[in-house]
Amino acid sequence: MLKVNRDDKRPIWQQLVDQAIHNITTGKWPPGELLLPSRELAQLIGVSRSTIQTVYEELFSRGYTVTSRRGGTRVSDCACATRPTEDGAIQGIIPPELPLLNAAVGHLQSWFGDKEHQKAEIDFSPHEPYLDEHFQRNWRTSFLQASTKTDLDSWAYGDPYGFLPLREQIQRYLSLERGVHVSTDQILLTSGAQHSIDLIAQALLHEGETVSVEDPGFPAAWMAMKYRRMQVASVPVDEYGLCPDHIHPDSKLVFVTPSHQCAVGVIMSEPRRQQLLKMAAQHRFWIVEDDYDSEFRYRGDPLPTLFSQQPQNTLYMVSFSKMIAPGIRISAIIGPKEAIRQLAKVHEFTYRQLPVMEQLTLAHFIEHGHFMRHMRRVRNVYRRRHEAMTKAIITSGLSEHFTLSGVETGLHMLLEAEPAFDEEAVTALALEKGIRVYPLSKYCLESDRKGWVLGFAKVDETTIKEGIYRLAGMLL
């Protein structure tokens, strides 16, 4: 018999359902047993008939009972499968075994620097831009105004290419600022460089194909490719950038950062650019050009892109992580229409689309001039900090014992040591003294080059000087 406990805070119908399920799963009510009619059971328990009807409907919907017009309500034959056995009553269920992750995944955290376990007083992070309350205030304004003006259609499933007004703003920016002239259907929005690379691997390559990457270079590029089971071949980098003569002959894709080489920081020379473009045309491989921070150039205007010279087989990657903030998680792939169409199909199948609010806000942020004003302001900040770091490295004497490179463009520079230098020990010692530096070896696939990739975007001039002089005191 079911009972009602008036002191129980649960609804009466819930109490009765829980008791009935217990009776069924423990075998007290065996399969096929006929339950009392709802009216009769209600009178016995002292509740309304509608309460019992709710209980019976809940049991039926969960599969514990079956009903028929003439046969009434009976315990389902399938309900016996839910009875716990002695063997099944094990304390602590063991979850399914997890597959082993590709080793490249574990490399990602060490590349960023394990900031969770040990904080640093001075962090020369090359990954993060300068942010302040002025940016936050303008972004909040765009967010509120964009959300106010948004119609209901914007909240439906959107275009896998990305929000059209945002692509139009990016199209205009690329044309005016970078000399890249494309239509909106040549622009696909993604959620960052790693997402872009992963999407390219899925849509434009076959599993097991060979891709060539700079070494040292952007670790996330070869991590993503390895995780997608591509054969990754390293290509050395010298003072003129990527060495095209060392590109693997079977390569189907070459990933390159020609405007400011990721890690080493050099600019790819024009002869090397032309050699790479010629090889790509002859051997029919994709060039993926990552233009991640070339907007910040301290000598002259930004350099022409490879895409503007040979758009037929070049995919041009742009990210707002360095230009604005990594947390926005919006970037773009620009390329030939057919390739972008294929990327969009895979994007729709795997990710569907990007969150709408970030796209609406960024479109408003660019359209109303906040973006260009932000860029002008941070360029001045970066110019001062770039000058402070360059001067500190020279006056501290570090430049006499280490090679300084990558000072023309971007938000980081390289202080390179000899290959025999104990980079790991010095990096650990620096962290003990409150300085986080980023070892060059973390950017290397096969190369044995050593040194530190030093970012200056998030560190003010006074702190830069202090950190560099403190580092010099350890090394010299």
Side-chain angles (χ1 to χ4, degrees), residues 266-377:
V266 297
I267 296 171
M268 193 175 186
S269 69
E270 189 59 31
R272 292 276 179 89
R273 290 168 181 248
Q274 294 306 317
Q275 184 182 3
L276 175 62
L277 293 171
K278 184 177 179 180
M279 290 177 65
Q282 289 177 341
H283 300 286
R284 297 187 64 188
F285 60 71
W286 291 105
I287 297 173
V288 175
E289 178 183 11
D290 187 3
D291 196 20
Y292 64 100
D293 69 356
S294 68
E295 292 82 3
F296 309 113
R297 182 163 164 78
Y298 308 106
R299 299 175 188 171
D301 296 325
L303 297 168
T305 65
L306 295 174
F307 178 83
S308 61
Q309 298 178 68
Q310 191 167 293
Q312 298 88 345
N313 56 356
T314 304
L315 298 166
Y316 180 64
M317 286 173 43
V318 177
S319 175
F320 289 93
S321 292
K322 292 286 184 9
M323 287 192 284
I324 304 180
I328 293 174
R329 302 316 304 148
I330 293 180
S331 59
I333 307 173
I334 294 90
K337 289 183 180 181
E338 287 299 319
I340 296 298
R341 184 181 296 116
Q342 180 135 326
L343 287 165
K345 288 179 179 178
V346 175
H347 189 241
E348 183 175 24
F349 177 69
T350 55
Y351 302 95
R352 191 59 186 86
Q353 67 186 70
L354 300 183
V356 66
M357 204 59 240
E358 285 81 354
Q359 298 180 81
L360 288 166
T361 305
L362 182 56
H364 185 281
F365 193 78
I366 300 173
E367 182 181 0
H368 290 79
H370 297 307
F371 173 65
M372 290 310 299
R373 286 192 291 272
H374 171 78
M375 290 293 287
R376 284 195 294 271
R377 195 163 51 85

Side-chain angles (χ1 to χ4, degrees), residues 2-47:
L2 303 179
K3 296 180 180 180
V4 174
N5 181 1
R6 300 296 175 179
D7 295 328
D8 195 325
K9 294 183 180 180
R10 291 175 299 165
I12 291 174
W13 70 267
Q14 185 68 64
Q15 295 181 43
L16 300 178
V17 166
D18 291 345
Q19 291 176 48
I21 291 174
H22 175 75
N23 290 342
I24 293 171
T25 56
T26 58
K28 192 173 182 179
W29 294 355
E33 177 161 322
L34 179 66
L35 303 187
L36 291 175
S38 59
R39 190 186 302 277
E40 184 178 342
L41 183 58
Q43 291 175 348
L44 286 172
I45 299 175
V47 297

Side-chain angles (χ1 to χ4, degrees), residues 36-67:
L36 291 175
S38 59
R39 190 186 302 277
E40 184 178 342
L41 183 58
Q43 291 175 348
L44 286 172
I45 299 175
V47 297
S48 67
R49 186 187 177 195
S50 63
T51 298
I52 300 302
Q53 288 175 330
T54 300
V55 172
Y56 280 9
E57 287 171 2
E58 188 69 18
L59 292 173
F60 175 76
S61 67
R62 298 194 195 184
Y64 288 107
T65 61
V66 293
T67 61

